Amino acid sequence: MEDKPAVRNSRRGRPDMAVVRRQQIVNAFLALICERGLESVSLDDVAAASGVQRSVIRHYMGNRAQLVHDAAATLIERYSELIRGAVGERPGAREIIRYLFSREWTADADFPDRAFDELFHEAARDPALRDRLRGAYDLLVELLAAGIRLDRPDLPPDAPAEQIAYQIVCLAEHNAAMQRLGFPPGQAAAAQALARRLAAGD
Protein backbone atom coordinates (compact mmCIF):
# COMPACT_ATOMS: atom_id res chain seq x y z
CA MET A 1 0.00 0.00 0.00
CA GLU A 2 1.35 3.49 -0.80
CA ASP A 3 2.28 5.85 2.01
CA LYS A 4 0.52 9.15 2.37
CA PRO A 5 2.27 12.10 0.68
CA ALA A 6 4.68 13.88 2.97
CA VAL A 7 3.50 17.09 4.63
CA ARG A 8 4.93 20.01 2.71
CA ASN A 9 6.73 23.00 4.14
CA SER A 10 4.45 26.01 3.58
CA ARG A 11 7.40 28.36 2.98
CA ARG A 12 9.48 26.43 0.50
CA GLY A 13 6.95 23.98 -0.96
CA ARG A 14 9.26 21.10 -0.02
CA PRO A 15 8.45 17.96 1.96
CA ASP A 16 8.83 18.34 5.72
CA MET A 17 12.04 16.37 6.23
CA ALA A 18 11.18 15.54 9.85
CA VAL A 19 7.95 13.86 8.69
CA VAL A 20 9.77 12.07 5.86
CA ARG A 21 12.51 10.85 8.18
CA ARG A 22 10.06 9.61 10.84
CA GLN A 23 8.05 7.69 8.25
CA GLN A 24 11.24 6.20 6.81
CA ILE A 25 12.23 4.94 10.26
CA VAL A 26 8.76 3.64 11.12
CA ASN A 27 8.46 1.80 7.79
CA ALA A 28 11.83 0.12 8.36
CA PHE A 29 10.78 -0.84 11.88
CA LEU A 30 7.50 -2.37 10.68
CA ALA A 31 9.27 -4.37 7.97
CA LEU A 32 11.71 -5.74 10.54
CA ILE A 33 8.90 -6.66 12.93
CA CYS A 34 7.26 -8.69 10.17
CA GLU A 35 10.54 -10.37 9.30
CA ARG A 36 11.95 -11.10 12.78
CA GLY A 37 9.33 -10.38 15.43
CA LEU A 38 9.23 -7.38 17.74
CA GLU A 39 11.48 -8.78 20.47
CA SER A 40 14.30 -9.46 18.01
CA VAL A 41 14.46 -5.92 16.59
CA SER A 42 16.87 -3.42 18.15
CA LEU A 43 17.34 0.27 17.43
CA ASP A 44 20.64 -0.63 15.76
CA ASP A 45 18.69 -2.94 13.43
CA VAL A 46 16.26 -0.15 12.61
CA ALA A 47 19.11 2.29 11.98
CA ALA A 48 20.76 -0.12 9.55
CA ALA A 49 17.51 -0.89 7.74
CA SER A 50 16.49 2.76 7.41
CA GLY A 51 19.98 3.94 6.41
CA VAL A 52 20.49 6.37 9.29
CA GLN A 53 22.56 6.55 12.44
CA ARG A 54 21.10 5.36 15.73
CA SER A 55 21.41 8.93 17.01
CA VAL A 56 19.07 10.07 14.22
CA ILE A 57 16.43 7.62 15.44
CA ARG A 58 16.85 8.96 18.97
CA HIS A 59 16.51 12.51 17.67
CA TYR A 60 13.34 11.96 15.64
CA MET A 61 11.63 9.14 17.50
CA GLY A 62 12.88 9.24 21.09
CA ASN A 63 13.15 5.82 22.73
CA ARG A 64 12.11 2.38 21.52
CA ALA A 65 8.77 2.55 23.33
CA GLN A 66 7.85 5.69 21.38
CA LEU A 67 8.86 4.00 18.15
CA VAL A 68 6.52 1.10 18.99
CA HIS A 69 3.65 3.55 19.58
CA ASP A 70 4.36 5.40 16.34
CA ALA A 71 4.40 2.09 14.48
CA ALA A 72 1.00 1.27 15.96
CA ALA A 73 -0.35 4.66 14.88
CA THR A 74 0.90 4.04 11.33
CA LEU A 75 -0.74 0.61 11.19
CA ILE A 76 -4.04 1.99 12.46
CA GLU A 77 -3.95 4.67 9.78
CA ARG A 78 -3.25 2.06 7.09
CA TYR A 79 -6.11 -0.15 8.25
CA SER A 80 -8.45 2.84 8.22
CA GLU A 81 -7.37 3.72 4.68
CA LEU A 82 -7.87 0.13 3.52
CA ILE A 83 -11.39 0.01 4.89
CA ARG A 84 -12.41 3.50 3.73
CA GLY A 85 -10.96 2.87 0.30
CA ALA A 86 -12.96 -0.34 -0.03
CA VAL A 87 -16.32 0.71 1.41
CA GLY A 88 -16.44 4.50 1.02
CA GLU A 89 -17.11 7.26 3.51
CA ARG A 90 -20.68 6.38 4.57
CA PRO A 91 -21.17 2.67 3.96
CA GLY A 92 -24.01 0.45 5.03
CA ALA A 93 -23.40 -2.58 7.19
CA ARG A 94 -23.62 -4.98 4.23
CA GLU A 95 -20.72 -3.27 2.43
CA ILE A 96 -18.54 -3.32 5.55
CA ILE A 97 -19.36 -6.95 6.31
CA ARG A 98 -18.71 -8.02 2.72
CA TYR A 99 -15.24 -6.51 2.91
CA LEU A 100 -14.30 -7.74 6.38
CA PHE A 101 -15.13 -11.33 5.41
CA SER A 102 -13.60 -11.22 1.92
CA ARG A 103 -10.35 -12.69 0.65
CA GLU A 104 -9.59 -9.18 -0.56
CA TRP A 105 -9.38 -7.96 3.06
CA THR A 106 -7.13 -10.84 4.08
CA ALA A 107 -4.81 -10.25 1.13
CA ASP A 108 -4.74 -6.46 1.50
CA ALA A 109 -4.02 -6.68 5.22
CA ASP A 110 -1.35 -9.38 5.04
CA PHE A 111 1.62 -7.08 5.74
CA PRO A 112 0.06 -5.02 8.53
CA ASP A 113 -1.49 -8.13 10.07
CA ARG A 114 1.90 -9.66 10.81
CA ALA A 115 3.11 -6.47 12.45
CA PHE A 116 -0.22 -5.87 14.20
CA ASP A 117 -0.09 -9.34 15.77
CA GLU A 118 3.31 -8.53 17.27
CA LEU A 119 2.09 -5.20 18.64
CA PHE A 120 -1.07 -6.85 19.94
CA HIS A 121 1.03 -9.18 22.11
CA GLU A 122 3.21 -6.28 23.25
CA ALA A 123 0.07 -4.42 24.37
CA ALA A 124 -0.39 -6.95 27.18
CA ARG A 125 2.64 -5.29 28.84
CA ASP A 126 1.96 -1.73 27.74
CA PRO A 127 -1.33 -0.14 28.88
CA ALA A 128 -0.89 2.93 26.66
CA LEU A 129 -0.34 0.74 23.59
CA ARG A 130 -3.33 -1.38 24.58
CA ASP A 131 -5.51 1.75 24.72
CA ARG A 132 -4.26 2.85 21.32
CA LEU A 133 -5.06 -0.49 19.71
CA ARG A 134 -8.44 -0.62 21.41
CA GLY A 135 -9.16 2.80 19.96
CA ALA A 136 -8.69 1.36 16.48
CA TYR A 137 -11.26 -1.34 17.18
CA ASP A 138 -13.59 1.25 18.71
CA LEU A 139 -13.51 3.16 15.42
CA LEU A 140 -14.36 0.01 13.46
CA VAL A 141 -17.23 -0.84 15.81
CA GLU A 142 -18.54 2.73 15.51
CA LEU A 143 -18.33 2.61 11.70
CA LEU A 144 -20.22 -0.68 11.60
CA ALA A 145 -22.81 0.50 14.12
CA ALA A 146 -23.44 3.57 11.95
CA GLY A 147 -23.81 1.25 8.95
CA ILE A 148 -26.36 -0.87 10.81
CA ARG A 149 -28.42 2.22 11.64
CA LEU A 150 -28.13 3.40 8.03
CA ASP A 151 -29.46 0.07 6.75
CA ARG A 152 -32.18 -0.06 9.39
CA PRO A 153 -33.64 3.48 9.67
CA ASP A 154 -36.53 2.13 11.75
CA LEU A 155 -34.14 0.91 14.45
CA PRO A 156 -35.06 2.50 17.81
CA PRO A 157 -32.49 5.02 19.11
CA ASP A 158 -31.87 2.86 22.17
CA ALA A 159 -31.28 -0.31 20.12
CA PRO A 160 -27.89 -1.90 20.83
CA ALA A 161 -26.31 -1.27 17.41
CA GLU A 162 -22.86 -0.98 19.02
CA GLN A 163 -23.27 -4.38 20.70
CA ILE A 164 -24.29 -5.97 17.40
CA ALA A 165 -21.34 -4.29 15.68
CA TYR A 166 -18.97 -5.57 18.37
CA GLN A 167 -20.22 -9.13 17.87
CA ILE A 168 -19.67 -8.87 14.12
CA VAL A 169 -16.18 -7.43 14.50
CA CYS A 170 -15.25 -10.28 16.85
CA LEU A 171 -16.62 -12.77 14.32
CA ALA A 172 -14.70 -11.10 11.48
CA GLU A 173 -11.42 -11.03 13.41
CA HIS A 174 -11.58 -14.70 14.34
CA ASN A 175 -12.65 -15.61 10.82
CA ALA A 176 -9.58 -13.82 9.43
CA ALA A 177 -7.33 -15.77 11.80
CA MET A 178 -8.96 -19.08 10.85
CA GLN A 179 -8.66 -18.30 7.14
CA ARG A 180 -4.93 -17.69 7.58
CA LEU A 181 -4.72 -21.19 9.05
CA GLY A 182 -6.13 -22.59 5.82
CA PHE A 183 -9.81 -23.20 6.58
CA PRO A 184 -11.89 -23.43 3.38
CA PRO A 185 -13.43 -20.23 1.96
CA GLY A 186 -16.88 -21.76 2.35
CA GLN A 187 -16.50 -21.44 6.11
CA ALA A 188 -15.85 -17.72 5.68
CA ALA A 189 -18.99 -17.43 3.54
CA ALA A 190 -21.02 -19.06 6.31
CA ALA A 191 -19.53 -16.67 8.88
CA GLN A 192 -20.35 -13.73 6.64
CA ALA A 193 -23.95 -14.92 6.32
CA LEU A 194 -24.22 -15.08 10.11
CA ALA A 195 -22.80 -11.55 10.39
CA ARG A 196 -25.38 -10.27 7.91
CA ARG A 197 -28.19 -11.90 9.91
CA LEU A 198 -26.90 -10.24 13.07
CA ALA A 199 -26.78 -6.85 11.34
CA ALA A 200 -30.29 -7.29 9.91
CA GLY A 201 -31.73 -8.42 13.22
CA ASP A 202 -32.91 -11.75 11.82
Side-chain angles (χ1 to χ4, degrees):
M1 178 177 167
E2 296 182 358
D3 296 327
K4 293 180 67 176
V7 176
R8 294 194 169 272
N9 186 299
S10 58
R11 293 183 179 180
R12 300 185 181 90
R14 298 177 181 173
D16 184 329
M17 291 310 298
V19 173
V20 171
R21 187 68 77 191
R22 288 192 196 99
Q23 198 60 59
Q24 175 187 355
I25 293 167
V26 168
N27 287 343
F29 184 47
L30 287 170
L32 288 171
I33 292 174
C34 291
E35 179 184 338
R36 306 180 189 176
L38 180 60
E39 290 296 326
S40 300
V41 178
S42 68
L43 289 184
D44 287 333
D45 295 328
V46 179
S50 56
V52 301
Q53 298 293 320
R54 180 181 172 130
S55 59
V56 173
I57 296 178
R58 289 286 189 184
H59 173 74
Y60 285 109
M61 311 303 299
N63 58 25
R64 188 175 186 277
Q66 184 59 51
L67 181 54
V68 168
H69 282 248
D70 287 348
T74 295
L75 284 184
I76 290 167
E77 183 178 359
R78 290 182 184 181
Y79 273 116
S80 298
E81 289 175 354
L82 282 173
I83 295 171
R84 294 290 186 185
V87 303
E89 289 299 320
R90 196 166 178 265
R94 289 183 65 87
E95 288 79 13
I96 301 171
I97 290 170
R98 181 206 61 77
Y99 186 61
L100 292 180
F101 287 85
S102 69
R103 292 178 62 85
E104 178 187 3
W105 165 244
T106 304
D108 282 348
D110 184 53
F111 162 69
D113 266 352
R114 294 195 298 270
F116 192 91
D117 288 346
E118 289 288 322
L119 295 176
F120 192 90
H121 290 298
E122 179 69 15
R125 301 190 295 265
D126 185 338
L129 179 60
R130 182 175 64 240
D131 289 345
R132 185 185 288 273
L133 296 182
R134 174 177 171 170
Y137 281 109
D138 283 340
L139 291 175
L140 181 54
V141 169
E142 290 170 8
L143 178 68
L144 185 50
I148 291 170
R149 293 190 182 281
L150 183 66
D151 288 350
R152 299 169 62 186
D154 58 339
L155 199 67
D158 59 347
E162 287 74 18
Q163 292 181 19
I164 298 170
Y166 174 80
Q167 294 166 9
I168 294 171
V169 169
C170 288
L171 183 60
E173 283 291 289
H174 284 285
N175 173 73
M178 300 292 272
Q179 287 297 298
R180 289 199 296 272
L181 290 176
F183 279 81
Q187 302 285 40
Q192 181 179 168
L194 175 57
R196 285 179 172 171
R197 289 198 297 273
L198 286 169
D202 294 342

